[in-house]
């Protein structure tokens, strides 16, 4: 694997990870504001 391929591969992994974590953070923020539980469970 050349250096350019390795760089593109790492960039792709970072983009996918960032998208997943961004969605999770957005859901956590909305759930905090709306008073819900994050994963749909009922803890009480």
């Amino acid at each position: 694997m050349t250096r350019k391929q390795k760089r593109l591969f790492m960039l792709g992994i970072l983009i996918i990870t960032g998208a997943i974590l961004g969605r999770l953070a957005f859901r956590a923020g909305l759930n905090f504001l709306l008073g819900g539980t994050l994963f749909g469970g009922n803890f009480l």
Side-chain angles (χ1 to χ4, degrees):
M1 205 183 311
T2 65
R3 183 176 288 208
K4 188 173 185 179
Q5 285 176 330
K6 201 177 287 187
R7 188 178 295 160
L8 286 174
F9 180 71
M10 291 297 287
L11 188 62
I13 290 177
L14 282 175
I15 288 172
I16 291 170
T17 305
I20 292 171
L21 289 177
R23 274 185 57 92
L24 197 64
F26 182 72
R27 280 187 58 194
L30 278 183
N31 277 311
F32 180 70
L33 288 175
L34 297 174
T37 59
L38 184 57
F39 297 106
N42 190 3
F43 292 126
L44 296 177

